[in-house]
Amino acid sequence: MGLIGQHELTIEDYKTILRRRIWLLVIPAVVFSVGAYMASLFLAARYKSETVVLVEAPTVSSDLVRPIGGDTNQRLATMREEILSRTRLQQIIEKFNLYREDLGKVPMEELVARLRSSIDVSAVRPMDRTNASGLPGFTIDVVAGRPQLAQQICTEITSMFLQQNVIVSERKAEDTTDFISRQLQEAKGKLDDQDAKLAEFQRRNMGSLPDNAQSNFSLLTGLASQLDSVTQSLNRAQQDKLFLESALSQQVAVSKLSQTGGNPDALSRQIAALQDQLASLRTRYTDDHPDVIKVNKEITHLQQRMDEEAADARANKETEKPGPSVDTPQAQQLRAQLHQIDVNIRERMAEQLRLREQITRVQGKLELTPAVAQQYKALTRDYQTALNIYNDLLKKQNDSEMSRDLLRRQQGEQFRVLDPPSLPQQPTFPNRRLFAFGGFAGGLGFGLVIAFLLEAQDTSLRTEKDVEHLLKLPTLAVIPVTRPTMRNGKNGSLKTDLRPSEEQINLNVGA
């Protein structure tokens, strides 16, 4: 089991050693325990006051109003550094007149460090580890030399945390709102610039925008159809004008023949009949039709005959003074129709010119549409980006203002003291029971070391195993050691009594 020096020990050996060295263990353990307890009586008592502060969630759901405070753990860490700063702790030292005996002797930085070490701020961990994003609360522990002083300092620190939370939250809300408001004004200015550029571009390219392409195509188709209709009407009017001019010239010739004594009535009637026939044929056939060509030839032939007769009449009466020419009623009617047709032709030509100009303009707009569409897309993209930024900032500003209103109405995230700072009834240091137990353990350890050293230096042979281990030989017999003792006999005389003691002599024979 074990070996000390030349001894090989078993459990029975350990029990024997314990019985033999029991006082080496008991006396140091008792002395050390009593000494540690007595020493704890002279140590300065330290009292700890503690409080629990809960972090209450906003009364309004975060889905409706987004809080501005941010991460509570980060905010608590920041407040802890601010509250435990040198300036704040020095104010507490001066307010409660702490460390009076050390003031002026010890630097203030050391006193502040001493007070900071006696203050502990720790976060309360949530029970649900899967959803540990929030902070349910935190504890504040303050250790001082007197119970009332520990409670007062703990109360002061707790009050600082409550006030600092309100100040930090309101300041952050104000700063956030002001920053977003400035950004919103800048975004509004950029949006107005983009809006003005877009409006100016739309005004310059009215009708050439991508949205107008379909309407321009439809308009171009309609204008082309109107132009075809007007052109056909103009062609018919010009043909009618040629026909009326021809008829008028015939009537004038007939009138002149009648004035000179000719007899053109038969030719005139034939020509009028052929013209009526020609008008009837044109309603059914084109000018290339054989019947129409035949009638035109006959009318041309008769007109040539009338022209020849008129020329002969003029030749016969060259010496005669011509009288005033008087139009026949048919000629006057033809002149009126010819005038109306001239007016109609001018209107058709003006309409044709107007339609062609409109078609040219629409075609120009359609040709410019691809280039305009590219520029319009870039302007629209910039405008939409500016609009999205403005709307996002406007929403953030509304959220910030609502969060600020919640803080002002004390409906946002708040710190609430669950347990007020306690008044300690017993000191947390020194723990006299712990001191006594520590002294007992130390004394017991000291006794074990002394016993171990004594056993290591002991060369006595007390058992058969010790002899066998030392001589490396088997034991044949064991002779107990007897020590004489004196005792009274029956007659009052002294007698010697030989009894074996605990020690014995071993006889060993080598192999």
Side-chain angles (χ1 to χ4, degrees):
M1 294 295 294
L3 184 63
I4 300 179
Q6 73 275 18
H7 300 287
E8 184 178 358
L9 304 180
T10 62
I11 295 178
E12 294 297 330
D13 295 331
Y14 281 114
K15 293 181 179 179
T16 303
I17 293 173
L18 180 61
R19 287 194 297 268
R20 189 168 57 250
R21 308 292 186 183
I22 186 65
W23 293 109
L24 285 178
L25 302 178
V26 174
I27 294 176
V30 174
V31 172
F32 277 48
S33 176
V34 174
Y37 182 82
M38 296 300 295
S40 66
L41 297 177
F42 295 96
L43 295 177
R46 306 290 291 174
Y47 297 87
K48 182 172 72 172
S49 176
E50 57 184 1
T51 182
V52 178
V53 180
L54 290 182
V55 179
E56 292 186 338
T59 56
V60 180
S61 174
S62 59
D63 296 334
L64 301 177
V65 179
R66 188 174 181 179
I68 296 181
D71 185 36
T72 309
N73 291 280
Q74 183 64 30
R75 191 166 78 253
L76 177 62
T78 303
M79 288 190 297
R80 181 181 182 278
E81 295 300 324
E82 291 181 358
I83 292 174
L84 299 184
S85 63
R86 180 183 182 279
T87 304
R88 295 291 187 90
L89 295 182
Q90 184 174 349
Q91 293 176 358
I92 294 177
I93 292 174
E94 296 174 351
K95 179 177 180 180
F96 296 102
N97 196 17
L98 302 177
Y99 313 119
R100 293 188 302 269
E101 65 280 1
D102 295 331
L103 287 175
K105 300 178 181 179
V106 179
M108 182 58 67
E109 289 77 7
E110 184 177 344
L111 299 180
V112 169
R114 190 183 305 176
L115 178 59
R116 185 183 293 114
S117 63
S118 64
I119 300 172
D120 179 58
V121 180
S122 57
V124 177
R125 297 302 174 190
M127 297 179 63
D128 185 6
R129 295 299 180 87
T130 60
N131 186 17
S133 58
L135 178 67
F138 57 95
T139 60
I140 301 175
D141 299 335
V142 177
V143 178
R146 291 181 287 111
Q148 295 80 5
L149 182 59
Q151 186 183 34
Q152 291 174 356
I153 297 176
C154 187
T155 302
E156 184 71 15
I157 297 295
T158 304
S159 177
M160 286 183 178
F161 269 98
L162 299 178
Q163 295 175 1
Q164 189 69 18
N165 177 60
V166 175
I167 293 173
V168 169
S169 299
E170 291 183 353
R171 182 176 60 194
K172 190 169 185 179
E174 292 291 341
D175 294 343
T176 303
T177 303
D178 294 341
F179 174 75
I180 294 178
S181 298
R182 291 193 299 270
Q183 294 294 318
L184 185 63
Q185 292 298 324
E186 295 179 1
K188 185 177 183 302
K190 294 180 181 179
L191 180 62
D192 292 341
D193 292 341
Q194 294 296 329
D195 195 6
K197 291 179 180 179
L198 187 60
E200 178 63 21
F201 183 82
Q202 290 175 343
R203 185 188 63 79
R204 286 198 319 267
N205 299 277
M206 184 66 68
S208 301
L209 298 175
D211 297 339
N212 305 127
Q214 187 62 36
S215 61
N216 287 336
F217 277 116
S218 301
L219 180 60
L220 183 61
T221 303
L223 291 175
S225 177
Q226 293 179 20
L227 181 61
D228 291 339
S229 177
V230 170
T231 301
Q232 293 177 4
S233 178
L234 180 60
N235 293 333
R236 288 195 299 270
Q238 289 176 346
Q239 292 177 0
D240 293 341
K241 180 181 178 180
L242 293 175
F243 177 76
L244 290 174
E245 286 177 347
S246 177
L248 180 62
S249 64
Q250 293 175 5
Q251 287 295 328
V252 171
V254 170
S255 176
K256 289 181 180 181
L257 288 174
S258 63
Q259 291 178 3
T260 57
N263 188 16
D265 292 337
L267 295 175
S268 299
R269 285 193 296 272
Q270 291 178 8
I271 292 173
L274 290 174
Q275 288 176 346
D276 291 339
Q277 185 180 358
L278 179 62
S280 177
L281 291 173
R282 282 181 172 175
T283 58
R284 292 178 293 173
Y285 308 111
T286 62
D287 293 340
D288 297 332
H289 195 272
D291 294 339
V292 176
I293 295 174
K294 179 181 179 181
V295 172
N296 280 327
K297 289 181 179 180
E298 291 178 358
I299 291 174
T300 303
H301 179 68
L302 290 175
Q303 286 179 349
Q304 290 177 355
R305 287 180 59 186
M306 288 183 65
D307 293 339
E308 292 175 355
E309 290 180 359
D312 292 341
R314 287 193 298 270
N316 292 330
K317 295 186 177 181
E318 287 179 354
T319 58
E320 295 182 1
K321 185 178 180 181
S325 178
V326 179
D327 290 336
T328 63
Q330 291 82 359
Q332 293 178 356
Q333 184 179 2
L334 290 174
R335 290 183 185 277
Q337 291 179 1
L338 188 60
H339 175 72
Q340 184 63 34
I341 287 177
D342 288 336
V343 173
N344 195 13
I345 288 175
R346 288 194 297 269
E347 291 178 353
R348 293 291 182 274
M349 292 179 68
E351 181 69 14
Q352 189 181 46
L353 180 61
R354 184 182 65 82
L355 289 174
R356 286 176 177 172
E357 291 177 352
Q358 288 185 0
I359 289 174
T360 302
R361 288 196 298 269
V362 173
Q363 288 177 344
K365 292 178 180 179
L366 288 175
E367 291 175 357
L368 291 175
T369 297
V372 172
Q374 185 176 3
Q375 299 177 12
Y376 184 74
K377 183 178 180 180
L379 286 174
T380 305
R381 182 175 61 248
D382 295 340
Y383 174 79
Q384 189 63 38
T385 301
L387 180 62
N388 292 337
I389 294 175
Y390 177 79
N391 291 334
D392 184 58
L393 289 174
L394 185 62
K395 182 179 181 300
K396 290 181 179 179
Q397 185 189 38
N398 294 332
D399 294 341
S400 176
E401 290 178 351
M402 285 190 291
S403 298
R404 183 177 59 182
D405 292 340
L406 284 178
L407 291 175
R408 290 177 177 176
R409 297 179 183 179
Q410 295 184 354
Q411 293 180 346
E413 187 180 75
Q414 301 290 329
F415 287 175
R416 182 173 64 88
V417 178
L418 178 63
D419 294 328
S422 61
L423 180 63
Q425 302 297 324
Q426 294 181 352
T428 56
F429 179 85
N431 189 341
R432 294 183 173 84
R433 293 182 179 179
L434 184 61
F435 267 77
F437 179 77
F440 178 80
L444 186 61
F446 179 78
L448 288 174
V449 171
I450 297 299
F452 177 81
L453 294 176
L454 293 177
E455 288 295 326
Q457 295 176 0
D458 190 0
T459 59
S460 301
L461 301 177
R462 294 187 173 84
T463 62
E464 297 178 13
K465 291 182 179 180
D466 293 342
V467 176
E468 292 176 353
H469 178 75
L470 179 61
L471 301 179
K472 306 299 181 181
L473 297 174
T475 303
L476 297 180
V478 177
I479 301 174
V481 177
T482 57
R483 296 182 182 276
T485 56
M486 303 302 295
R487 62 185 182 86
N488 295 325
K490 294 181 180 180
N491 54 2
S493 62
L494 294 177
K495 292 183 178 182
T496 301
D497 188 6
L498 297 177
R499 294 184 180 182
S501 65
E502 294 181 357
E503 299 178 352
Q504 57 189 5
I505 298 176
N506 299 285
L507 297 179
N508 297 278
V509 178

